[in-house]
Amino acid sequence: MASPADRQVRISHVAGRYLVFDIDDVVHIRRHHGICAVLTGTMPQNPTQNLFLGLPVELHAEEARLLVDKGAGYIADELAEHLSQLTLASDAPARKAYLQHLKQQRRSAQQVFSEEKAKVQAMHQDKRKAKKSVTPPASSSEAPADTSERDAPASLFDTPASTPATVHNKKESSLPGVTPTTSQPLTTPPSSSYPTTPTLKNYPLCQYLNSRGYYTTPGLRFGGDYSVYPGDPFRYHAHYLANSYGWHEQVAMLDLVTSGRLGTAVKKGFLFGAEKPAEGGTSDRGDGKEKEKEVRVFCIEWAGM
Amino acid sequence: MAAPDHLGALINVVLKNLKFQHDWADVQECIRPNLSRSLLYGLPPKRLYVHPDEQIDIIKAEKERGEPIPQEPEVEWVLPLHLSEKWSPAQFAAVFDAIDAIPPGGTDREHAVDAEGGVEEHWRLWRGPKRGKRILLATVQDDSTVTYYWIFDGLVKPRQN
C-alpha cells in the first residue's frame, strides 16, 4: 500500500454522485482525512435492508472537493473514462491486460477456496481421530458428556461445509466467477484534471471543521446540515449540529431559537457558520489553493432561564 | 419612522423582564456607535454559565481544597431581539467584534479576585482572561414572552446538562 501521505483516492463521479469503491481508500480517508461519509451499497436482492450498508461510500460534494483541494484524491468521470477505455482498448494490449487481470483474480479466488476446503477437511479428520481416541476410555462417567459437547459444533459445521465441497468437485476444472468491486486496472490513475465541483455553499464551513479535526456526518436527523463530532463517530458523540449560511443571509430568529432548543435537548450545541467575503469584494474562488478565508462560527445553547 | 421607538420598546421589555422576572441587578444599557442597537448588561442572581472545561478545573480545585468553591454570578451581556427579526452572520459578527468578553463593571470585580488567588487557582482564569465572548440572546415574542439563549463566538463545546 502506498504511504498515507501520497495516496491518491479515486473519487468516482457517477450520475452526479461522488462515490469511493475501493475499501482501502475508504479506510484511508477516514483515518487520515477525517471523512467518514456514508456507506450506500446494498444488496440488489434485498434493497430495503439499510442497517448494514456496504461499499460504495458516497461523499458530499464538499467532501469530494475537500479531498481534491488537499491533494489527497482526484475525481474521475467514470462513464466517459470507461467508455473511452473500453472502445479504445478493443484490440489493444490494455484489454488483454485487463482480461488477464480478471483471470488472475479468479485463480486466486480458486486458490482461496481450495485452501479453505483443505482446512475444513483437515479439521474433520482431526475431529474423527479425536473421537476415536476419546471413545475407548469412556468407562468414566464424565467422558460421554464431554464427547457429545465436542461433537455438537462439528455436526453444525458438517452440512454447509460438505455441500459446497461436492459442488466444487463436479466442476473442478472451471474457475469460480468473481465480481470485482473496482475496475481499477482498467482505468488510468489521475486522468486530466476533471472539473471539480462548482462553488459550494457549505464548503467553507466543511473545510473549517475538517481542518480542526472535526468529523461531519449528514445532519438531517437533527435538522441541520451536519452533525459534528470531535473525533471519529465510533468514539464520540456529536458535539454540534451545524448549519452553513451566507455571510449576509438573513436567518430567521425562530430558526436559530428552535435549532438551539433542539440541540440542547439532545445535549449538543447548535453551530452556524459563514464565510466572510474578502475585503476588496473580489470573488477569486475556484482555484482552491488560495489561503483559507475567514470563517466565523457561532454556537447557540439554551440558557436555562 | 417608528423604528427607533420600536427598538426602545423592545429593549425596555427585556430590561423589565430581567429585572423583575429574573431578579437581575444593575441592568444597564450599553450604547456604542459601532453597535447597531444597544446591548444590555447586568448581574444575574446566580451564575448562568460554566464552561465544561472550567467545571473540570473547579472540581479539581475543590478536591484539592476539600471544600466546595462558591460560584459567584458574573456580569453578562444581553442582546434584545424580536422573534420576527432576521439576522445575518455578518450582523452577529459585528456585535461580537464591538464588545469585550467581560461587560463593563465586571472587570474590577474579576481582577480583585484574580489578584488574591494563587498560581494553582486555574479555575479563576475562566472568569478573567480565559472567558470567551458570549451573549444572551433575549428573544421577545409578541405576547411578551422572553426566551434566553446563549450565543458564543467560535467553537464552544456544549455543556453536559
Side-chain angles (χ1 to χ4, degrees):
Chain A
M1 204 195 279
S3 80
D6 50 47
R7 189 184 176 92
Q8 287 286 309
V9 174
R10 182 183 181 88
I11 302 163
S12 305
H13 192 207
V14 181
R17 304 164 82 181
Y18 297 91
L19 305 166
V20 177
F21 285 89
D22 189 338
I23 185 64
D24 292 330
D25 282 346
V26 172
V27 171
H28 174 75
I29 59 173
R30 183 163 187 140
R31 187 168 292 165
H32 297 287
H33 300 289
I35 290 173
C36 32
V38 185
L39 289 161
T40 53
T42 185
M43 286 179 285
Q45 301 264 344
N46 202 1
T48 52
Q49 79 94 16
N50 50 10
L51 196 56
F52 299 108
L53 295 173
L55 290 173
V57 144
E58 181 171 2
L59 302 177
H60 276 139
E62 51 268 32
E63 288 171 327
R65 184 168 155 201
L66 190 68
L67 282 174
V68 173
D69 284 357
K70 276 176 148 186
Y74 60 95
I75 295 174
D77 183 0
E78 293 294 1
L79 176 64
E81 197 157 318
H82 276 75
L83 220 50
S84 75
Q85 280 292 322
L86 286 170
T87 49
L88 190 137
S90 55
D91 48 19
R95 180 185 155 88
K96 263 180 205 156
Y98 182 58
L99 289 175
Q100 198 57 42
H101 174 83
L102 280 184
K103 206 171 268 179
Q104 184 56 44
Q105 275 199 312
R106 294 172 71 185
R107 251 182 239 125
S108 49
Q110 173 74 53
Q111 203 178 337
V112 170
F113 279 139
S114 51
E115 272 173 21
E116 205 69 11
K117 207 163 72 183
K119 219 184 274 174
V120 171
Q121 276 171 351
M123 200 178 75
H124 280 299
Q125 267 162 5
D126 282 357
K127 283 267 162 61
R128 252 168 242 154
K129 267 184 208 160
K131 214 198 259 176
K132 272 174 199 161
S133 62
V134 166
T135 15
S139 48
S140 80
S141 57
E142 277 175 39
D146 201 37
T147 45
S148 66
E149 242 170 60
R150 225 181 281 173
D151 253 1
S155 60
L156 270 180
F157 283 121
D158 220 47
T159 32
S162 60
T163 32
T166 50
V167 170
H168 275 297
N169 280 339
K170 274 178 199 159
K171 33 181 173 178
E172 188 88 279
S173 52
S174 69
L175 294 169
V178 292
T179 309
T181 52
T182 66
S183 51
Q184 212 92 302
L186 184 67
T187 54
T188 47
S191 52
S192 58
S193 61
Y194 183 70
T196 54
T197 51
T199 49
L200 296 159
K201 194 190 110 193
N202 293 350
Y203 183 66
L205 180 68
C206 190
Q207 189 188 36
Y208 175 91
L209 293 169
N210 186 273
S211 67
R212 280 157 184 75
Y214 286 90
Y215 283 60
T216 52
T217 62
L220 188 60
R221 73 181 72 179
F222 298 119
D225 290 339
Y226 307 107
S227 305
V228 182
Y229 296 75
D232 193 298
F234 278 148
R235 300 176 61 204
Y236 296 94
H237 283 296
H239 271 187
Y240 311 103
L241 46 117
N243 265 351
S244 176
Y245 297 116
W247 185 246
H248 290 291
E249 188 176 341
Q250 299 285 304
V251 186
M253 275 311 295
L254 188 60
D255 286 351
L256 297 182
V257 166
T258 48
S259 300
R261 194 74 186 85
L262 172 67
T264 307
V266 292
K267 301 190 177 192
K268 298 173 194 5
F270 168 60
L271 180 159
F272 67 99
E275 182 188 35
K276 193 175 178 178
E279 283 302 315
T282 50
S283 56
D284 48 342
R285 317 166 141 268
D287 187 25
K289 281 290 162 202
E290 64 201 282
K291 76 175 171 69
E292 198 185 335
K293 282 186 196 146
E294 192 188 348
V295 176
R296 288 289 290 262
V297 300
F298 307 101
C299 295
I300 290 186
E301 245 183 80
W302 185 49
M305 61 177 267
Chain B
M1 282 284 282
D5 289 330
H6 160 71
L7 260 183
L10 181 78
I11 290 162
N12 204 30
V13 167
V14 174
L15 193 143
K16 294 271 160 54
N17 185 272
L18 287 172
K19 243 184 186 169
F20 300 117
Q21 189 177 336
H22 295 289
D23 290 329
W24 280 40
D26 301 330
V27 187
Q28 285 178 59
E29 221 176 307
C30 172
I31 303 162
R32 287 192 193 165
N34 52 359
L35 279 174
S36 53
R37 72 177 60 177
S38 47
L39 295 184
L40 297 171
Y41 60 92
L43 190 68
K46 61 177 173 37
R47 199 154 182 225
L48 280 185
Y49 180 78
V50 181
H51 190 280
D53 288 342
E54 178 186 6
Q55 199 158 22
I56 292 169
D57 285 342
I58 291 172
I59 290 168
K60 275 184 192 161
E62 281 179 343
K63 217 174 167 189
E64 230 164 76
R65 287 184 178 196
E67 58 174 10
I69 297 167
Q71 291 303 314
E72 302 275 313
E74 289 173 282
V75 180
E76 305 290 357
W77 285 112
V78 182
L79 172 61
L81 288 159
H82 192 273
L83 192 65
S84 64
E85 282 184 79
K86 287 183 175 175
W87 274 53
S88 66
Q91 284 171 286
F92 283 114
V95 171
F96 274 114
D97 289 343
I99 62 164
D100 300 317
I102 300 168
T107 337
D108 321 347
R109 195 193 306 258
E110 310 308 340
H111 270 298
V113 174
D114 220 353
E116 119 200 357
V119 189
E120 99 290 352
E121 309 266 274
H122 224 63
W123 59 276
R124 283 185 203 278
L125 295 178
W126 290 96
R127 294 169 160 269
K130 269 175 102 170
R131 175 166 166 177
K133 285 184 184 178
R134 59 172 187 254
I135 302 176
L136 262 185
L137 292 180
T139 315
V140 181
Q141 231 178 318
D142 281 341
D143 62 359
S144 80
T145 312
V146 189
T147 46
Y148 293 93
Y149 282 83
W150 281 117
I151 182 164
F152 303 97
D153 191 15
L155 284 170
V156 177
K157 60 178 159 181
R159 290 178 287 182
Q160 291 291 320
N161 45 9

